[in-house]
Amino acid sequence: MRSIRDASTQTTCDCEDCPSYALTMHLQRSDDQAARHHQTLIQDGWTDVEGRDYCPGCPVDRPEVEHDHVGAWDAAQA
């Protein structure tokens, strides 16, 4: 789910039990900030399927029981 406000753009993983989110703060809003936020998420491994956003730990091609909400982030930072 995406939320665009005057000072921030937030994307929350749409997987039912996932607590992951990405937040970009800005001093003032411009038309390009939400697009840059979304582009950065794609580079970080987030996927957009039919307007629903999923973090790297919640691959849409795997059953929910195989999702790894913590391990995917640990691997990305290593």
Side-chain angles (χ1 to χ4, degrees):
M1 175 173 60
R2 297 177 195 168
S3 172
I4 301 170
R5 298 200 171 24
D6 287 339
S8 67
T9 302
Q10 179 174 335
T11 301
T12 304
C13 184
D14 282 313
C15 180
E16 192 168 315
D17 294 324
C18 185
S20 297
Y21 67 93
L23 179 65
T24 302
M25 302 298 294
H26 15 267
L27 295 175
Q28 65 185 113
R29 187 172 175 184
S30 76
D31 293 338
D32 296 330
Q33 288 170 333
R36 284 195 306 260
H37 171 83
H38 187 62
Q39 187 63 32
T40 300
L41 292 182
I42 291 170
Q43 293 170 355
D44 288 343
W46 285 68
T47 55
D48 177 356
V49 178
E50 298 177 359
R52 295 176 57 91
D53 298 295
Y54 297 93
C55 75
C58 298
V60 295
D61 59 343
R62 286 193 193 157
E64 193 171 330
V65 295
E66 293 181 20
H67 291 184
D68 182 9
H69 304 294
V70 178
W73 295 107
D74 291 342
Q77 294 177 3

